[in-house]
Amino acid sequence: MYEQHFDLTGRPFGSAPNAGCWFPAEAIEQARLMLTQSIDLAGGVGLLVGPSGTGKSLLVERLAADFGTGFQVVNLASARLCSRRALLQNILFELKRPYRGLAEGELRLDLIEHLRTRQDGVRGVLFLVDEAHGLPLKLLDELRMLTNVVRDGDPCAQLVLAGTTNLEEKLADPRMHSLNQRISARGYLESMVYAESCDYVRFQIGRVGGAGNLFSEDALGAIY
C-alpha cells in the first residue's frame, strides 16, 4: 500500500537480509573486504563478530552471493544444529547429497569424499555459519577438521564463522586452541554513526525510486 502512495518500485526496508540491498557502511564494508581476501587466498578461517542487528546475517548473504559461482556454498544456522550427526546431515543436505538413514561415520566419509572430488569450475566448498556462537564446542571442532581436508596441496573447504562476542569467548577456551590458530581474518561490526544512518535511509529509498528528501532531518534523527 505505502509503495504505491510514495510511488516506490518496491519495499525499501525488508525484514530479511538481502544481499541486493547492500549498503557499504564503513565497518561492514571493511569486514567484507577482509573476509573476501581470506577466502580468495585460502588463508584460513574467517571470523565475523558483532552485536545483534549490525549486519552479520546480511554480510553472510553477501559472501554467499559473491562466491556462489566459484564455490559450493553451504549456509548453516547454529539453531538447527545440536549434534555431529545433525551438522553432517545439514551439510550434505545443502550439497544435495544423500543424508537420511546414514550413521555419523558414513556421513563424514561421504562428505570427505565429496570435498576431495574435483568439481568442474568449482574451487571447493565454502561453509558460512551464522549464529555460530550457539554451536557446541564439539561442532566448532568438527568444522575445523573439515577445513583440514586437502587436495593437491590446496584446502578443499573454506570456513567463515559469524556470531556475537560470545563466539570469541568460546574460541578462547583451551579446547579451541587449534581452531583459534587457524583464524586468518577477524571482522568486527558496530552500529552506524549518525551520518551513515542518514545515508543508509536515503540509499534504500533511492534504490526503489523514492525521493531523497522523503524523510525530514527530524525524522532521520528520530530513526537514528
Side-chain angles (χ1 to χ4, degrees):
M1 177 68 73
Y2 74 81
E3 297 100 318
Q4 183 178 1
H5 178 78
F6 291 106
D7 197 25
L8 305 179
T9 59
R11 293 191 174 187
F13 308 106
S15 59
N18 183 349
C21 305
W22 181 262
F23 174 75
E26 183 177 1
I28 197 170
E29 182 65 8
Q30 286 182 352
R32 183 188 71 82
L33 293 173
M34 189 179 301
L35 293 171
T36 295
Q37 183 180 52
S38 176
I39 296 168
D40 277 335
L41 299 178
V45 177
L47 185 66
L48 178 64
V49 176
S52 298
T54 52
K56 295 186 298 297
S57 297
L58 174 61
L59 182 45
V60 167
E61 289 295 323
R62 177 62 190 264
L63 292 174
D66 288 348
F67 288 98
T69 56
F71 286 84
Q72 287 185 296
V73 177
V74 174
N75 268 314
L76 299 172
S78 68
R80 298 178 295 174
L81 308 174
C82 56
S83 66
R84 293 181 186 273
R85 186 168 184 268
L87 171 65
L88 296 169
Q89 284 183 316
N90 271 265
I91 292 173
L92 290 171
F93 170 79
E94 291 288 330
L95 292 171
K96 297 179 173 56
R97 301 280 300 175
Y99 65 94
R100 291 189 176 92
L102 298 176
E104 179 185 312
E106 294 173 311
L107 293 166
R108 187 176 293 105
L109 288 174
D110 184 76
L111 176 54
I112 291 173
E113 181 182 7
H114 178 82
L115 292 175
R116 286 177 173 164
T117 301
R118 186 176 297 279
Q119 312 284 328
D120 291 338
V122 177
R123 293 174 55 187
V125 175
L126 173 59
F127 297 115
L128 299 174
V129 187
D130 199 4
E131 299 180 356
H133 54 270
L135 284 176
L137 296 184
K138 63 181 180 181
L139 298 193
L140 288 170
D141 197 54
E142 184 77 28
L143 288 167
R144 176 194 64 81
M145 289 189 290
L146 291 175
T147 64
N148 288 338
V149 179
V150 297
R151 180 186 59 226
D152 300 330
D154 296 319
C156 299
Q158 301 291 318
L159 172 64
V160 174
L161 300 171
T164 65
T165 53
N166 291 338
L167 176 58
E168 281 198 305
E169 292 174 8
K170 281 194 170 184
L171 294 176
D173 189 293
R175 290 170 289 180
M176 292 290 98
H177 179 69
S178 295
L179 178 55
N180 234 331
Q181 283 190 319
R182 298 288 307 280
I183 296 174
S184 62
R186 295 175 185 261
Y188 294 91
L189 302 184
E190 56 190 25
S191 299
M192 296 181 192
V193 299
Y194 176 76
E196 284 181 325
S197 298
C198 296
D199 289 343
Y200 170 79
V201 172
R202 296 188 184 104
F203 173 84
Q204 299 297 356
I205 293 292
R207 182 180 56 80
V208 293
N213 62 350
L214 186 59
F215 285 85
S216 68
E217 289 299 322
D218 285 344
L220 291 171
I223 290 169
Y224 172 72

